[in-house]
Amino acid sequence: QVQLVESGGGSVQAGGSLRLSCAASGYTTTYYDCMYWFRQAPGKERERVANIDSGGSTIYDADSVKGRFIISRDNAKNTLYLQMNSLKPEDTAMYYCAAGPTCSIIDYWGRGTQVTVSS
């Protein structure tokens, strides 16, 4: 069983930065070749923010984060990151880590970490 544990969330003022981490355990990194960040704001649907495969190829799905967020991973540490810069109040959401064997399948979810951005 793969376990994903997010950390690094918190409260920050607009314009600030946060770095989220997601520690994966339970299987080798080849099983979760693709790792994702999603977010869900209150009253809204869960939105995919970005994903990255084991080779480092990235896709940023949310136009609103392009140029501000950076997804990365350390395969040796089995850890996924999301560097969030120039944060805006509309970035306020629960951020979730997810993983799957390919970038079209999600098998595992973390429990999320809350990010709150105040104006």
Side-chain angles (χ1 to χ4, degrees):
Q1 184 76 11
V2 173
Q3 290 187 325
L4 303 174
V5 179
E6 302 95 335
S7 62
S11 297
V12 64
Q13 289 191 328
S17 298
L18 284 173
R19 189 192 194 202
L20 305 184
S21 299
C22 172
S25 62
Y27 277 103
T28 64
T29 54
T30 54
Y31 189 82
Y32 34 80
D33 180 76
C34 195
M35 299 190 77
Y36 310 75
W37 284 106
F38 284 77
R39 66 184 181 183
Q40 187 167 19
K44 295 188 176 181
E45 293 186 353
R46 189 171 294 189
E47 171 189 39
R48 188 166 67 180
V49 175
N51 60 266
I52 183 169
D53 67 19
S54 59
S57 296
T58 60
I59 295 176
Y60 293 90
D61 296 275
D63 289 341
S64 61
V65 308
K66 291 178 182 177
R68 299 189 298 122
F69 290 11
I70 301 172
I71 188 172
S72 63
R73 64 191 287 172
D74 185 331
N75 291 332
K77 296 182 178 180
N78 292 335
T79 302
L80 174 72
Y81 302 100
L82 185 68
Q83 177 67 43
M84 305 187 295
N85 302 318
S86 302
L87 283 162
K88 305 175 181 180
E90 50 264 43
D91 294 318
T92 294
M94 184 71 79
Y95 283 73
Y96 298 90
C97 167
T102 73
C103 283
S104 58
I105 298 173
I106 296 174
D107 283 341
Y108 299 100
W109 291 90
R111 293 189 175 184
T113 185
Q114 178 67 39
V115 171
T116 302
V117 184
S118 58
S119 58

